[in-house]
Amino acid sequence: MSRTLLKAGAWGAMLLATTGMVLPDIAMAQERGRHERANRGDRGDRGGQRQARPQREASPQRQARPSRPAQTRDNRGEARVERRQERGERNYSRREAGSLRGLDRGPNSRPEPTARPDTGPDRRYDRRDQRQDNRYDRRNDRREDRYERRDDRRGDRYERRDDRRDYRSDRRAERRWDRNEWRRNNRYNWRSYRAQNRSHYRLGRYYAPYRGYAYRRLSIGFSLGTMFYGSRYWINDPWAYRLPSVYGPYRWVRYYDDVLLVNTYTGEVVDVIYDFFW
């Protein structure tokens, strides 16, 4: 019991001490509030609301603009057209001023390039001239191609004609060849010439074009294979052996120790001399 009383007394003492500390602060705050209200009352109208400033008189420059009348759709279109015209006139005046400035730069100054209009009579004339030039060029090209083709056909015709002429001359020469006529001419007396130049007719061994081929005595009218009258067997200088010169398709050909006159077109043996070489 005594302990409970002691605790209650302790708590009461603490409560009194706390109340003594808070009351002076509250009193000081109330006193400060009274002083502030008194000071505001001394200032009078200055502590109240501020008076409204007098409005400035509107200057004539800043007077309100008159309201625009309501425009209809047609009026708006006309106004737009007028603005475009005014803008075009201003641009035109600027270009004119720029061209005049370019003329004032001096005789050696380069004038500013001006845009060439895409339409107009000049432009149409230029396009017409260009089309006409192109048409003339195409016509000249076609004409040149036609002339070239004609020249080619003419050249081919001349070549075919020359070939036919050569063939006919060869055929006539073939028909005119007489194997007895040149033998009656002493100029081609190969026997006496060989008797004086025996070593000249000694040509060495003959190699046949085919392996295992043996000598066969050939006569006039026999047809040889192409390998037997190739260029390696030709006698390119017949006069060195006192043989007549040949023409056209004919060639003197060595065949072992014999000499054959062969038509290289057909392979036919036209003339033959046996035991001509040693």
Side-chain angles (χ1 to χ4, degrees):
M1 186 67 181
S2 59
R3 290 180 180 178
T4 304
L5 294 174
L6 290 174
K7 289 181 180 180
W11 283 105
M14 291 178 62
L15 181 60
L16 291 173
T18 305
T19 304
M21 294 175 63
V22 172
L23 289 174
D25 294 336
I26 294 172
M28 291 177 63
Q30 293 177 354
E31 186 67 22
R32 191 181 301 112
R34 285 195 297 268
H35 285 291
E36 290 178 357
R37 285 193 295 271
N39 293 330
R40 285 197 298 270
D42 295 339
R43 283 196 296 268
D45 295 337
R46 289 181 297 176
Q49 296 181 356
R50 295 182 179 179
Q51 296 180 356
R53 294 182 180 179
Q55 296 182 356
R56 296 181 180 179
E57 296 180 358
S59 60
Q61 291 81 5
R62 299 178 60 87
Q63 290 180 358
R65 295 181 181 178
S67 60
R68 295 181 180 178
Q71 294 181 354
T72 61
R73 183 177 297 178
D74 297 337
N75 295 335
R76 288 197 296 270
E78 294 177 358
R80 191 180 300 110
V81 172
E82 292 177 357
R83 288 197 297 273
R84 289 179 180 175
Q85 292 178 355
E86 293 176 358
R87 193 181 304 113
E89 292 177 357
R90 287 197 299 271
N91 295 335
Y92 179 77
S93 60
R94 291 174 184 173
R95 287 196 299 270
E96 291 293 332
S99 61
L100 293 175
R101 286 197 299 270
L103 294 175
D104 294 339
R105 293 177 183 176
N108 297 327
S109 62
R110 184 177 180 180
E112 296 180 358
T114 57
R116 186 176 182 180
D118 295 335
T119 59
D122 296 337
R123 186 61 174 174
R124 288 198 301 272
Y125 293 154
D126 293 341
R127 287 198 298 267
R128 186 185 64 182
D129 295 340
Q130 186 175 3
R131 288 195 299 270
Q132 189 172 359
D133 294 340
N134 296 334
R135 187 164 59 252
Y136 289 158
D137 294 339
R138 289 194 297 270
R139 186 176 65 183
N140 294 332
D141 294 339
R142 289 195 299 271
R143 183 179 298 174
E144 292 177 359
D145 295 339
R146 187 166 59 251
Y147 289 160
E148 291 178 359
R149 289 195 298 270
R150 186 181 65 183
D151 294 340
D152 294 340
R153 290 195 298 270
R154 184 179 297 176
D156 295 339
R157 187 167 59 251
Y158 289 160
E159 290 179 0
R160 290 194 297 269
R161 186 178 64 183
D162 294 340
D163 294 339
R164 289 194 298 270
R165 184 179 298 173
D166 294 340
Y167 179 75
R168 286 196 298 269
S169 63
D170 295 340
R171 295 291 295 176
R172 286 195 299 269
E174 182 180 356
R175 288 194 299 269
R176 285 197 307 268
W177 181 262
D178 188 0
R179 58 180 176 272
N180 296 321
E181 182 179 359
W182 68 272
R183 286 181 172 86
R184 289 192 294 267
N185 191 348
N186 292 329
R187 183 183 178 189
Y188 303 113
N189 190 0
W190 57 272
R191 287 185 177 86
S192 61
Y193 184 77
R194 186 180 66 176
Q196 299 175 3
N197 302 278
R198 297 178 64 87
S199 61
H200 188 63
Y201 288 80
R202 193 178 302 277
L203 299 181
R205 184 179 177 181
Y206 176 84
Y207 294 93
Y210 301 104
R211 181 178 296 179
Y213 180 84
Y215 173 77
R216 300 173 187 176
R217 192 177 182 89
L218 303 179
S219 60
I220 296 173
F222 184 83
S223 295
L224 277 175
T226 57
M227 299 297 293
F228 285 96
Y229 55 88
S231 60
R232 58 180 294 189
Y233 299 111
W234 289 359
I235 299 175
N236 294 321
D237 188 8
W239 175 247
Y241 303 98
R242 294 302 183 267
L243 292 174
S245 59
V246 293
Y247 46 84
Y250 299 113
R251 288 290 184 276
W252 287 107
V253 177
R254 180 189 177 188
Y255 175 73
Y256 288 92
D257 292 340
D258 301 340
V259 173
L260 307 177
L261 184 63
V262 182
N263 186 346
T264 57
Y265 288 172
T266 60
E268 182 183 1
V269 177
V270 180
D271 200 350
V272 61
I273 302 175
Y274 300 110
D275 299 329
F276 188 79
F277 298 103
W278 297 107

